[in-house]
């Protein structure tokens, strides 16, 4: 596994090369070990607490998500990546849907809201990342049609347990300057077995502002980029940019006739939020 998330390529071409100088390597030298300590130390604490949480509460996780959130907040602080939040995360039952720019999305969203991500099944087998994802309660999906019923049952159980799930309906990460068409397939689970009557969907726009002087797509992760290479490039920045989260008003699933209409509404809301956050002319669609 080379750490690639997607084969999607930016219409503007490859990312501008970023050379890491002496100052950059100095930043990596202290940031990387501290981040590893925070992430894996938090994971160890989470796993120990889960030994007691699981038999007492079953599928519900009333305690461990706070550890995940604290780890993500501390990691953003260590990276020097500032986070701006507009709007309020949903409190009622339901799920969030967002655009997907980078592995950084996981830290940014979790820092603002305690959620469980939905990821493609291949991620479960990725060294390091897959282990972390499983431990923090990520839901893995297989896009094979024969597994659709099982996946709906898993979604239903998690949502009825009060979990806030977070989907990336584009199905891939991008360069952060655009919103790709949302795939309606994932929305089908929300219309099963009466879930539409008790759940809401909250669209969320994720926008990254590159460090001064860098390519506007600096924080995007796409194409042939490796996780290790992208991580080092981010950690090496002496002066980081920032991230912004726009929480749009939640909408009741029951107010939509079907998954296609719900997907279109949330896609439009996410695109509008991204357009407002990026500098004029930067958003590509």
């Amino acid at each position: 596994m080379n750490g690639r998330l997607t084969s999607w390529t930016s219409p503007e071409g490859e990312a501008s090369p970023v050379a890491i100088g002496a100052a950059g390597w100095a930043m990596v030298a202290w940031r990387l070990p501290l981040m590893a300590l925070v992430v894996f130390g938090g994971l160890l604490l989470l796993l120990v607490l889960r030994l007691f949480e699981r038999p007492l509460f079953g599928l519900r996780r009333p305690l461990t998500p706070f550890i995940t959130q604290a780890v993500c907040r501390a990691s953003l602080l260590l990276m020097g990546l500032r986070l701006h939040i507009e709007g309020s995360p949903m409190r009622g039952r339901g799920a969030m849907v967002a655009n997907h720019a980078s592995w950084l999305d996981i830290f940014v969203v979790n820092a603002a809201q305690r959620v469980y991500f939905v990821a493609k099944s291949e991620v479960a087998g990725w060294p390091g990342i897959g282990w972390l994802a499983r431990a923090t309660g990520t839901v893995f999906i297989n896009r094979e049609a024969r597994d659709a019923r099982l996946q709906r049952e898993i979604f239903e159980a998690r949502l009825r347990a009060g979990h806030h799930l977070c989907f990336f309906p584009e199905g891939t990460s991008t360069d952060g300057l655009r919103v790709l068409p949302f795939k309606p397939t994932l929305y089908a689970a929300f219309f099963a077995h009466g879930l539409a009557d008790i759940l809401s969907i909250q669209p969320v726009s994720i926008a990254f502002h590159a460090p001064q002087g860098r390519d506007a797509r600096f924080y995007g992760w796409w194409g042939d980029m490796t996780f290790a290479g992208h991580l080092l490039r981010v950690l090496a920045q002496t002066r980081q940019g920032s991230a912004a989260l726009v929480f749009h008003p939640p909408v009741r699933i029951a107010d939509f006739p079907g998954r296609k209409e719900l997907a279109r509404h949330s896609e439009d809301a996410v695109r509008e939020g991204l357009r407002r956050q990026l500098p004029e002319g930067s958003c590509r669609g």
Side-chain angles (χ1 to χ4, degrees):
M1 197 281 290
N2 64 0
R4 285 172 55 185
L5 177 68
T6 175
S7 59
W8 181 88
T9 56
S10 174
E12 280 75 37
E14 296 182 358
S16 303
V18 177
I20 301 178
W25 284 115
M27 298 299 288
V28 172
W30 73 265
R31 278 177 172 163
L32 185 58
L34 282 178
M35 273 196 66
L37 180 63
V38 167
V39 171
F40 290 102
L43 175 63
L44 178 60
L45 179 59
L46 183 149
L47 291 175
V48 171
L49 186 56
R50 188 68 183 139
L51 292 175
F52 302 95
E53 185 184 55
R54 184 165 186 170
L56 289 173
F57 300 102
L59 195 58
R60 294 190 298 117
R61 296 186 178 215
L63 304 173
T64 50
F66 288 94
I67 297 175
T68 304
Q69 186 173 44
V71 165
C72 290
R73 289 178 174 177
S75 296
L76 291 181
L77 184 63
L78 288 172
M79 282 187 276
L81 189 65
R82 302 181 306 279
L83 176 60
H84 305 285
I85 299 174
E86 178 183 320
S88 301
M90 67 188 304
R91 296 300 177 213
R93 287 186 175 183
M96 297 162 45
V97 292
N99 58 304
H100 193 14
S102 169
W103 55 270
L104 285 164
D105 298 343
I106 307 299
F107 288 89
V108 168
V109 174
N110 248 325
Q113 167 75 313
R114 293 178 296 279
V115 298
Y116 303 91
F117 291 93
V118 178
K120 57 186 180 181
S121 56
E122 300 97 290
V123 175
W126 290 5
I129 296 177
W131 186 41
L132 286 168
R134 287 194 299 272
T136 53
T138 297
V139 180
F140 297 104
I141 58 171
N142 188 334
R143 295 176 184 172
E144 297 292 333
R146 64 176 181 271
D147 295 325
R149 180 178 177 181
L150 175 60
Q151 288 169 183
R152 285 197 300 269
E153 292 174 352
I154 293 173
F155 289 159
E156 180 177 353
R158 297 290 291 268
L159 290 165
R160 288 190 183 277
H163 293 187
H164 287 125
L165 301 182
C166 183
F167 294 77
F168 296 120
E170 293 165 296
T172 182
S173 63
T174 70
D175 55 15
L177 299 185
R178 68 201 76 230
V179 176
L180 303 181
F182 279 14
K183 302 178 185 302
T185 309
L186 285 177
Y187 291 81
F190 300 131
F191 290 88
H193 302 107
L195 285 179
D197 296 324
I198 62 173
L199 299 178
S200 296
I201 289 286
Q202 181 171 40
V204 179
S205 302
I206 305 174
F208 287 97
H209 302 278
Q212 187 173 5
R214 295 299 188 192
D215 189 320
R217 304 169 296 167
F218 179 80
Y219 291 112
W221 185 33
W222 76 91
D224 292 326
M225 295 181 184
T226 63
F227 171 70
H230 196 271
L231 172 65
L232 290 176
R233 187 174 73 174
V234 171
L235 295 183
Q237 293 306 297
T238 54
R239 300 189 68 176
Q240 294 282 12
S242 62
L245 279 180
V246 181
F247 289 97
H248 301 279
V251 293
R252 292 179 66 250
I253 295 173
D255 291 340
F256 293 83
R259 57 188 176 88
K260 292 183 179 179
E261 293 79 7
L262 182 56
R264 189 177 304 115
H265 169 84
S266 51
E267 178 187 330
D268 289 344
V270 169
R271 181 175 289 110
E272 185 273 334
L274 181 65
R275 185 176 293 114
R276 283 194 289 108
Q277 284 293 324
L278 294 181
E280 187 174 356
S282 295
C283 190
R284 300 291 189 262

